[in-house]
Amino acid sequence: MRGACEAMCPDAEARARATRGDAHALERGGANGAGDADASRMVKRFARTVVAGTEDAARVRTLDACERTVDHLFRALDDARRASTSASASASANALASANAFCEDRLRAVRQDLAMQGLFADDPVACGRCCALLERMIVRAVTSEAEREADASDDDFGAAALRERQLGKTFGMLLSAYAELGFDDDLHVERVGRFVSMLLCVRLRDGTSELAGDLRRVGVRTLATKDARFAMTCRAAFATGNWRRFFAIVDEASYEHACCLERHFAVARIDALRSLNCALNSTPMKLDELARVLRLDYASDAETYVKACGLTVNVDESAEPTVQFRTSPFTPPNLSRPDVAAALRAANRGFKSSSPAAPAIDRDVASVDVDVHLASLSLAR
């Protein structure tokens, strides 16, 4: 199938929704979206197809229309973010959350239109444009998710799980498009390696055969690029429990990689605390020092993690607060509970740069420190 709709929203859908008054604030005219539905602002809503092949070409957007739609959605979201800085806290949070939900749903519909047209696999130029469009969507998704992680007020964990699934599907479509174009030559291998490395960082805790299949699809040359090797080094440090090296690697990450890795910080810090509780004696450690080890900005953030794990915090008015290991059972927090996850996410906002004692990471060498494990958490100064 090839789409024939050149508008951001097919005429039939735009008319039906306008009649029902079913238009988002970003699709309406007037101040603050209080006016009537504006056909020039309406964007196709995501809807599952009941039977494959039942969509007619007039309801599927062309590649040009999809590109214009993505441009429009990104501009609308940026405008909403700028507007939220001048509004009250509650109003800005609600407006921004509504704008995010709107853009996520409409981008999902864009991906659906591209998939229904087979990513234009029979046209290398159009397929390349699909790749560029999917790449933009991925970059926006991972950076937006990092901004949400920094905002403790955004606690919709069901929506977060949906965003993760949709991001995984976008990655899958991009890898399929790469395979159709044969993007493993010298001209494109670094580009593919960049997004494969982002996939590896997003799925850092995923050891399924699906991920292995994705890596086999991209080939050895892509996995040998600097970005891909960096991601595999990070993955190895995470898998072996070498938390000191993991955080040192993250210090060397690009902004995109750091955004992808941030979703794993809570798990990494909890497991680092578990390792410390096993390896150290009961001599108290200052919370300031623990914050440095866990790459947190404040001792209060380290205290949040310590208490969430059931460890003992000693508070003495005449001295700095300390944590005492091996005096109480280590109890991993239940991250599926929204209140627990929100508290740790609020403490996750800071991320210190590596200390002078932390080793420099050479991204040209994908070494794996499998022998250090617990000993790597020694507090070298």
Side-chain angles (χ1 to χ4, degrees), residues 186-221:
D186 292 336
L187 182 62
H188 300 101
V189 68
E190 293 293 337
R191 173 182 174 181
V192 179
R194 173 192 172 197
F195 285 91
V196 168
S197 68
M198 292 170 66
L199 172 63
L200 284 168
C201 290
V202 166
R203 299 173 64 179
L204 201 63
R205 288 173 278 168
D206 188 352
T208 64
S209 57
E210 180 183 354
L211 179 60
D214 288 339
L215 297 182
R216 282 194 294 269
R217 276 200 292 170
V218 299
V220 175
R221 295 184 64 190

Side-chain angles (χ1 to χ4, degrees), residues 7-269:
M8 294 191 296
C9 184
D11 289 339
E13 178 183 333
R15 287 195 303 269
R17 288 173 52 203
T19 301
R20 298 193 305 266
D22 184 11
H24 189 273
L26 295 179
E27 297 176 313
R28 296 177 180 272
N32 300 320
D36 295 331
D38 184 346
S40 65
R41 296 185 181 184
M42 296 192 75
V43 183
K44 182 181 178 181
R45 170 183 288 171
F46 173 79
R48 297 185 183 278
T49 53
V50 179
V51 180
T54 58
E55 284 283 348
D56 63 89
R59 294 177 179 270
V60 178
R61 288 166 293 189
T62 64
L63 181 54
D64 288 337
C66 288
E67 290 173 334
R68 290 196 302 272
T69 300
V70 171
D71 290 338
H72 171 78
L73 292 172
F74 286 173
R75 283 196 304 270
L77 188 54
D78 290 339
D79 291 342
R81 285 175 178 160
R82 284 191 291 269
S84 67
T85 60
S86 59
S88 63
S90 59
S92 65
N94 292 335
L96 190 55
S98 177
N100 278 319
F102 169 80
C103 291
E104 287 157 9
D105 176 81
R106 275 35 174 195
L107 287 172
R108 190 177 179 187
V110 169
R111 199 187 69 233
Q112 183 186 46
D113 280 354
L114 295 178
M116 292 179 68
Q117 299 174 82
L119 295 174
F120 301 89
D122 56 343
D123 183 350
V125 174
C127 191
R129 291 168 61 189
C130 283
C131 286
L133 200 57
L134 292 168
E135 288 167 351
R136 292 179 61 197
M137 293 166 66
I138 287 173
V139 171
R140 176 60 71 114
V142 296
T143 54
S144 296
E145 194 64 30
E147 293 171 3
R148 291 173 184 270
E149 288 290 328
D151 181 7
S153 65
D154 186 3
D155 295 331
D156 190 343
F157 296 97
L162 176 62
R163 290 194 299 272
E164 286 293 300
R165 289 196 297 272
Q166 298 310 313
L167 178 60
K169 292 179 179 179
T170 309
F171 269 119
M173 288 179 62
L174 180 61
L175 293 182
S176 297
Y178 284 156
E180 291 288 348
L181 291 172
F183 269 14
D184 58 353
D185 54 10
D186 292 336
L187 182 62
H188 300 101
V189 68
E190 293 293 337
R191 173 182 174 181
V192 179
R194 173 192 172 197
F195 285 91
V196 168
S197 68
M198 292 170 66
L199 172 63
L200 284 168
C201 290
V202 166
R203 299 173 64 179
L204 201 63
R205 288 173 278 168
D206 188 352
T208 64
S209 57
E210 180 183 354
L211 179 60
D214 288 339
L215 297 182
R216 282 194 294 269
R217 276 200 292 170
V218 299
V220 175
R221 295 184 64 190
T222 297
L223 297 179
T225 59
K226 289 184 179 181
D227 283 337
R229 291 164 69 182
F230 165 80
M232 288 189 289
T233 303
C234 188
R235 184 180 178 86
F238 190 95
T240 57
N242 188 346
W243 307 118
R244 183 171 183 269
R245 179 167 177 78
F246 172 75
F247 287 125
I249 292 171
V250 174
D251 282 341
E252 299 293 319
S254 67
Y255 177 70
E256 290 172 355
H257 287 137
C259 289
C260 295
L261 291 167
E262 188 170 4
R263 67 199 69 211
H264 308 294
F265 286 172
V267 173
R269 286 170 173 144

